[in-house]
Amino acid sequence: MAGGQERILRRRIKSVQATKKITKAMELIAASRIVKAMGRINDARPYFVSMSSVIEQFASSAGLPKSKYLGDPKVGARGLLVVTSDRGLCGSFNSAPLRFVERKLLSAKGAGEQYRILCVGKKGINFFGYRNIDLDLALLGVSERPTYEHARTVAKAVLDLFDSGAVTSVDIVTTRFYSAGSQKMEVIPLLPIDPATLVASGGGDSSLSFEVEPAPEEIIDPLMALFIEEKIFAYLLEASASEYAYKQRAMKSATENAEELVKKYTRIMNRARQDAITTEIMEIVGGAEALRSSDSEALDVD
Amino acid sequence: MAPSFQVHLLTPERPLYEGQGTSVSLRSGEGDIAFLANHAPFIGTVDICVVKIERDGEPTLYAAVHGGFVSVARNEVRVLADVAELANEIDLERAKAALAKAEAAGSHTNDSVLEASLRRAHVRISVSSTLAHSTYVA
C-alpha cells in the first residue's frame, strides 16, 4: 500500500535528521578542539625555538662533538614511527599513513629490507595487529591530548631501539599541521640527525665562545636525546590538531550529506503521498461513478 | 639598581616565565651557579633544583625545576626545563605525600629513580614554603 511507503520514508527522514544532529555536534566539538590544540602548539613553540637556538649556538661555537645520534644513516633495519588516532570518523587521517606503511612493508619484502614498526594510536595498533605485524611500541590515549609524558615514552622507545642497534635509522610517519585548512601526511627522518639541519638557519654566532659544563662530549648525547623528545612532542601535538581538522571536515561533509538525504527523502515521500491521494481520489471518483451508473441502471429497471 | 636581562623559563608544554630578571641562580651539573647581566656565553645541564629569578622592583620568582639545560648568550638566559613548576602551582600536600612515600621506600634501597623522586619532592616543598614565607613578609 502507498501509505505504508510514506510511513517508512517518514521514519527514515527522522533517523537521518537525528544522525545529522550528531554529526553537526561532532563537527562543532572538533572545531573547538582544533582551537585548543593550536593553542597547545603555540605554547610549546618557545621551548622548541629556544632549544633549536641553543643547539645551534652550541654547534657553531664548539663544533659538534661526536655523538651516536649524529651522522648519516647506515645500512640496516629501519624503524618507522607511525602516528594515528584512537578514534575513527576522521576521514583519511589514519588510512593515509597506514596505507603508506603497508606499501612500504610490501616493497621491503621484495627488496629484502627490514622494518621495525612503532605505533601511536589505537587505529594503527589494530591495523597492524590484524595483519600480525609485531610492534615495538603500542601507545594508546595520546591523540586526544598529547602530553610531554607521552612524548617521553615514545622517544624512549625510539632511542632504545636505536641504541640497541636494532635499527640504524628511524623515520616518523605523521600528519603535519600547517593551518586549520591545510594538513599533510609526511614522512620525516628522526634519527640519525643530520648535523647540517641543526645549523641550517645560520642564526648561530661563531664569535661567541661558549663555556660548556660539563664537557661538550658529555652533554651532546643527552642534548640530542632531548631534541628528539621535543621533536616527537611537536609532531604529536601537530598530529592531534590535524586529527581534529580532519574530523571537522569529515563531520561537515556528513552533515551536508544528511541534509541532502533529507531533501531527497522528503521529495520521494511527498510524491508517494501525492500518489496515494491521487489513487484515493480516483477510487472515490470511480466508486461514485460506478454507484451512479448502477443507480441509473436500477432506475431504468424500475 | 642591578642591570637586568631577558630571562626565559620554558617547559616543553608551555613557557613559565618570559621577562626581565637581574639574577638567575640554579644548580648546574657541576654545582651552584648564578647568572648576572653580561654573563659569558654558557651552556650547561640543570639538576633537580630550585631556580631563583630575582627581578627589579618585583617579587623574586621561585620555580621547582626537575632537570634540563641552561644556556646564556647575548644577555639572555634560557632555562629549558624538562618539568618545572612555579611556586604557586605546587600542590604542597601532594609533594609531602610523595616525600613520605619516597622516604618510606628509600630506607633500604638506593635506587637512582627513588633518589630523584626524593629530590623532586624536597625541591617542590622548599619552593612552596619559600613562597609562603615571602608572601608573609610582603
Side-chain angles (χ1 to χ4, degrees), chain B residues 29-108:
Chain B
E30 310 279 283
D32 285 359
I33 189 164
F35 303 105
L36 299 174
N38 301 313
H39 192 282
F42 178 89
I43 293 173
T45 52
V46 179
D47 240 9
I48 300 170
C49 70
V50 180
V51 172
K52 183 175 155 195
I53 303 171
E54 284 175 36
R55 296 184 292 173
D56 203 13
E58 279 176 87
T60 303
L61 277 179
Y62 294 90
V65 169
H66 310 308
F69 286 90
V70 58
S71 104
V72 185
R74 286 186 221 94
N75 241 349
E76 263 185 282
V77 174
R78 297 168 200 275
V79 180
L80 301 172
D82 297 352
V83 178
E85 299 134 307
L86 288 177
N88 55 3
E89 294 168 348
I90 291 172
D91 185 344
L92 189 60
E93 292 311 311
R94 227 186 98 195
K96 277 184 176 156
L99 179 68
K101 204 176 132 199
E103 271 174 348
S107 51
H108 28 260

Side-chain angles (χ1 to χ4, degrees), chain A:
Chain A
M1 231 343 256
Q5 203 197 349
E6 193 189 327
R7 210 171 314 123
I8 290 168
L9 281 166
R10 203 180 291 278
R11 200 184 305 146
R12 191 166 298 168
I13 289 170
K14 234 181 181 173
S15 107
V16 172
Q17 262 161 348
T19 311
K20 188 185 129 189
K21 260 183 212 157
I22 295 171
T23 57
K24 183 81 196 164
M26 284 170 98
E27 181 193 335
L28 294 175
I29 291 168
S32 81
R33 293 215 172 141
I34 295 176
V35 177
K36 268 190 214 152
M38 278 166 73
R40 276 201 292 278
I41 293 177
N42 282 335
D43 283 347
R45 193 157 291 145
Y47 184 93
F48 191 70
V49 170
S50 265
M51 154 146 263
S52 304
S53 84
V54 167
I55 291 174
E56 217 171 285
Q57 287 164 353
F58 182 71
S60 55
S61 81
L64 280 173
K66 259 195 158 22
S67 164
K68 54 187 172 184
Y69 300 130
L70 288 169
D72 295 320
K74 294 189 203 80
V75 184
R78 299 164 71 177
L80 283 177
L81 170 61
V82 191
V83 183
T84 62
S85 69
D86 286 343
R87 295 192 195 188
L89 297 180
C90 43
S92 61
F93 178 80
N94 292 315
S95 56
L98 292 174
R99 233 180 303 131
F100 171 84
V101 173
E102 193 175 34
R103 242 182 291 130
K104 201 102 194 170
L105 289 177
L106 267 176
S107 68
K109 229 179 222 169
E113 286 170 44
Q114 280 227 310
Y115 277 99
R116 300 284 285 264
I117 308 288
L118 301 102
C119 186
V120 173
K122 194 163 139 199
K123 289 286 158 186
I125 294 169
N126 290 348
F127 178 89
F128 294 116
Y130 184 69
R131 284 163 182 74
N132 284 323
I133 294 167
D134 287 333
L135 296 175
D136 285 288
L137 170 82
L139 193 62
L140 286 171
V142 177
S143 66
E144 204 159 307
R145 192 181 186 289
T147 64
Y148 198 68
E149 210 48 55
H150 293 135
R152 201 169 288 161
T153 314
V154 175
K156 193 177 175 312
V158 168
L159 293 171
D160 281 352
L161 205 61
F162 187 79
D163 287 343
S164 70
V167 295
T168 54
S169 71
V170 180
D171 293 349
I172 181 167
V173 184
T174 184
T175 311
R176 297 291 308 271
F177 184 90
Y178 292 104
S179 72
S182 158
Q183 304 86 33
K184 231 172 95 197
M185 188 211 96
E186 281 177 28
V187 184
I188 310 148
L190 265 187
L191 273 171
I193 302 163
D194 181 359
T197 60
L198 294 178
V199 287
S201 69
D205 188 346
S206 49
S207 67
L208 294 174
S209 75
F210 280 85
E211 215 180 299
V212 180
E213 203 178 271
E217 298 77 41
E218 275 176 59
I219 216 172
I220 183 83
D221 278 356
L223 193 59
M224 289 298 116
L226 194 66
F227 183 60
I228 290 294
E229 213 173 86
E230 176 55 29
K231 250 187 153 168
I232 289 175
F233 182 54
Y235 289 141
L236 289 181
L237 286 178
E238 284 195 24
S240 167
S242 303
E243 182 198 339
Y244 292 127
Y246 271 84
K247 186 165 281 179
Q248 191 203 0
R249 268 201 301 275
M251 287 303 108
K252 193 170 179 212
S253 66
T255 309
E256 278 162 12
N257 286 345
E259 257 160 37
E260 208 55 33
L261 266 184
V262 168
K263 234 187 246 166
K264 194 174 123 198
Y265 283 147
T266 313
R267 210 167 287 143
I268 296 173
M269 187 187 75
N270 285 344
R271 189 172 308 142
R273 199 181 55 212
Q274 202 98 54
D275 282 353
I277 293 170
T278 313
T279 322
E280 248 167 69
I281 291 176
M282 294 289 281
E283 278 165 2
I284 293 169
V285 171
E289 210 50 50
L291 270 180
R292 206 178 47 198
S293 56
S294 67
D295 275 1
S296 57
E297 263 169 45
L299 275 176
D300 278 353
V301 171
D302 259 44

